[in-house]
Every structure is written in C-alpha cells, then in structure tokens.
C-alpha cells in the first residue's frame, strides 16, 4: 500500500495557527493568520493530490502484480 501524505504537516500548521490566534493581537497577527490559512488550504489541496497519487500507485501495482487468485485489486475494490 502506498501512503504518501502530509497530514502531520497540516496538523502542525493548524496547531501553530491556533497558538498564534490565541496569543497574538493586532494587524500583524491578522495578516500572519491569513497567511497561515492560505498555507493550510494549500497543504490540504496537496494532500488531496497525494491521495490521488496513492490510488494511482495502487492501481498500477495491481496491474503489474495481480494477487494469487488471478483477480486484480484496485484500491479497496477487487475485480
């Protein structure tokens, strides 16, 4: 199974954002929080792309290495 992910990075970004939101004030804090929100949104989009990469890698792997029953596995489905 392929598992390319950046979920830990997303969690860390959210923790940092929450810390800043609770401890910083003013215009600089608001601008930084907006930037953090943008980084988090980009990271979530990248994670979605990585999910597609993982599914694609599983599909290709199933095409190359069918299981012992002669069927081919495509992610969570088997044909």
């Amino acid at each position: 199974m392929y598992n390319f992910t950046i979920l830990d990075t997303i969690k860390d970004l959210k923790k940092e954002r929450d810390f800043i939101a609770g401890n910083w004030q003013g215009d600089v804090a608001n601008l930084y929080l907006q930037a953090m929100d943008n980084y988090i949104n980009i990271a979530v989009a990248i994670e979605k792309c990585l999910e597609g990469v993982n599914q694609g890698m599983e599909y290709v792997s199933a095409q190359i290495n069918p299981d012992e029953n002669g069927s081919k596995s495509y992610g969570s489905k088997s044909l």
Side-chain angles (χ1 to χ4, degrees):
M1 177 167 175
Y2 295 90
N3 194 23
F4 299 106
T5 185
I6 59 168
L7 286 175
D8 290 337
T9 302
I10 294 170
K11 288 177 188 175
D12 290 342
L13 285 171
K14 287 181 179 180
K15 284 181 192 175
E16 182 178 348
R17 193 217 177 278
D18 292 344
F19 175 80
I20 291 167
N23 294 294
W24 289 16
Q25 296 178 7
D27 292 338
V28 173
N30 291 336
L31 290 172
Y32 192 81
L33 290 173
Q34 288 175 359
M36 289 295 298
D37 287 339
N38 289 336
Y39 289 138
I40 291 168
N41 289 337
I42 291 168
V44 169
I46 291 169
E47 179 62 28
K48 295 286 184 190
C49 291
L50 289 174
E51 288 174 9
V53 168
N54 291 334
Q55 291 173 356
M57 294 296 289
E58 287 180 19
Y59 174 82
V60 170
S61 179
Q63 292 291 313
I64 295 170
N65 300 312
D67 66 18
E68 58 273 0
N69 296 330
S71 64
K72 296 182 180 177
S73 178
Y74 302 96
S76 61
K77 298 180 181 177
S78 187
L79 299 176

